[in-house]
Amino acid sequence: MGLLTTLRDLLAAENLDGILIASRQNKQPHLGISTGSGYVLVTRQHAHILTDFRYYSDIASRTTGYEMHLLSADCPFFTVLNGLIAQENLRTLGFEGEHVSWHTGSQWRDALSAKLCSVSLDALRQIKTADEILRIRAACRIADNTAQHIRRFIQPGMRERDVAAELEWFMKQQGADKPSFDTIVASGSRGALPHGKASDKVIAAGELITLDFGAQHQGYCSDMTRTFLVAGHDATPQAHPLYAVYQTVLEAQLAAIDAIRPGVACHQVDRAARTIIERAGFGAQFGHNTGHAIGIDVHENPRFSPTDATPLQPGMLLTVEPGIYLEGQGGVRIEDVVLVTESGADVLYTMPKRLLMTGEI
């Protein structure tokens, strides 16, 4: 089913004459580029793109099946949109209430000649198309290659910030447009910070170091986490004080992946991971969800959370990322992106998940 057909089915279901799309993530499949500027108007008969001089030619060259409208000082947004409302006799107009600010929504209500109704489009992005899956696979391949590279790069005496800079540079060399989010590099006791962004801390031999990063490629994201043992110390991985914690997180992550298949509710996948961590006595040290959907945004719905009852369907892509965080000692998190298939799950990373040391070939 095509994008416009899906939207028109939504119009019929919600008894709307049209829908105005303004959010970056919901416009991107229509525009062919990621931008916060411009608007998409889809009605029961037509589809329109309203944008200014900066993006008009680029978008026009990427799209078919849309009427293009150039916004300018002489043809401002409200004038153009009200003209289309009158032309197509639109009485009720859906808009993305979850993404539009109160101030903007109030302006639209006062200026537009149609009744506004808040609707959510995010659920329409939950099941990815074949093209979207290929793009996310490519973004994951970049992250996978980068994880292999950065493991060999890390040495004692480097700052976390140095590691993040090398990691992001390497991703771009592999074809990433930019990182999916601010790179997390948390070594030693900072590993207890689930979102410990790279700092000036100097990395020491014998510490665990957690790296959480992703590549944005052709508008789609990857998200990957690995925890390594920093080489340069006599201890083996098995002798590290947090080795048992690492093995618990790995067992939980594999159990969650094994639970993924069509029809399973998201909270069941979360429970598969959380049960193992709780039985090991670390339930209080696992304070976040087991995972989240991924696509145009790095964090999308549904979530592998204790309360999300969304049933999994083929074509969904989600992360699986349990963790344990011990204040003053450090932490462990392991994360993969997983595609829900007709029969189960396909992990999109190939890097081994046993506790690896940095610097090894």
Side-chain angles (χ1 to χ4, degrees):
M1 184 180 293
L3 180 60
L4 293 177
T5 300
T6 300
L7 278 172
R8 287 179 177 130
D9 287 346
L10 178 67
L11 294 182
E14 299 288 339
N15 197 27
L16 298 170
D17 297 317
I19 186 162
L20 179 64
I21 306 172
S23 69
R24 175 193 57 81
Q25 54 270 64
N26 286 322
K27 286 185 306 188
Q28 181 176 307
H30 298 271
L31 304 183
I33 62 172
S34 177
T35 174
S37 297
Y39 306 87
V40 175
L41 173 66
V42 177
T43 70
R44 302 208 179 192
Q45 301 297 327
H46 301 283
H48 307 270
I49 293 174
L50 295 71
T51 189
D52 62 38
F53 174 82
R54 295 170 298 168
Y55 302 100
Y56 187 93
S57 296
D58 190 11
I59 293 172
S61 70
R62 296 170 181 267
T63 59
T64 57
Y66 297 83
E67 295 181 25
M68 296 292 300
H69 304 270
L70 179 63
L71 301 179
S72 66
D74 294 328
C75 298
F77 169 64
F78 290 124
T79 299
V80 173
L81 186 53
N82 275 328
L84 294 172
I85 289 171
Q87 177 181 312
E88 298 199 37
N89 192 28
L90 307 179
R91 295 180 298 277
T92 57
L93 190 64
F95 78 106
E96 303 162 284
E98 294 176 349
H99 295 284
V100 174
S101 70
W102 181 90
H103 177 72
T104 298
S106 297
Q107 284 185 317
W108 289 0
R109 180 196 61 204
D110 295 339
L112 295 178
S113 305
K115 178 184 176 182
L116 294 180
C117 302
S118 177
V119 295
S120 177
L121 300 182
D122 291 353
L124 302 183
R125 305 203 323 270
Q126 288 184 2
I127 299 175
K128 272 51 178 182
T129 66
D131 178 67
E132 288 178 313
I133 292 170
L134 285 175
R135 293 181 188 219
I136 295 170
R137 282 187 181 276
C140 288
R141 192 158 49 246
I142 291 170
D144 213 2
N145 292 340
T146 300
Q148 298 282 8
H149 168 77
I150 206 66
R151 183 176 67 86
R152 294 189 292 268
F153 174 83
I154 296 170
Q155 298 292 336
M158 292 178 175
R159 299 177 303 166
E160 293 174 348
R161 194 179 305 280
D162 300 329
V163 172
E166 174 70 17
L167 186 153
E168 292 176 6
W169 174 86
F170 189 85
M171 285 198 299
K172 290 186 177 181
Q173 296 302 306
Q174 296 290 303
D177 301 323
K178 61 181 180 179
S180 299
F181 52 91
D182 291 340
T183 299
I184 293 169
V185 180
S187 61
S189 62
R190 291 190 75 252
L193 303 174
H195 278 187
K197 295 176 184 176
S199 72
D200 286 324
K201 179 190 174 298
V202 175
I203 298 165
E207 292 183 327
L208 294 185
I209 182 169
T210 296
L211 300 100
D212 187 344
F213 60 95
Q216 187 182 101
H217 177 67
Q218 294 183 355
Y220 288 82
C221 297
S222 58
D223 191 358
M224 183 178 190
T225 305
R226 290 294 185 268
T227 300
F228 302 127
L229 173 61
V230 181
H233 191 276
D234 291 339
T236 63
Q238 292 77 9
H240 193 278
L242 297 184
Y243 181 73
V245 171
Y246 188 97
Q247 293 301 106
T248 298
V249 172
L250 178 56
E251 182 184 357
Q253 206 247 3
L254 294 174
I257 292 172
D258 190 56
I260 294 173
R261 59 187 179 276
V264 170
C266 284
H267 65 76
Q268 293 176 269
V269 177
D270 179 88
R271 176 46 47 191
R274 202 168 298 277
T275 296
I276 289 171
I277 291 176
E278 289 173 348
R279 286 176 180 170
F282 297 110
Q285 287 73 44
F286 176 29
H288 58 74
N289 295 334
T290 297
H292 54 84
I294 190 168
I296 292 173
D297 285 338
V298 72
H299 294 105
E300 296 185 351
N301 289 319
R303 314 280 172 137
F304 288 141
S305 80
T307 59
D308 194 327
T310 304
L312 295 175
Q313 299 181 62
M316 289 181 170
L317 288 118
L318 303 99
T319 68
V320 180
E321 49 178 308
I324 295 174
Y325 311 94
L326 303 174
E327 187 172 356
Q329 299 179 60
V332 174
R333 184 165 66 255
I334 304 168
E335 177 185 19
D336 290 321
V337 172
V338 177
L339 169 66
V340 182
T341 67
E342 296 288 345
S343 58
D346 181 13
V347 176
L348 302 193
Y349 299 127
T350 63
M351 187 178 203
K353 288 182 283 192
R354 67 182 184 277
L355 181 55
L356 298 171
M357 296 182 70
T358 63
E360 293 179 336
I361 303 300

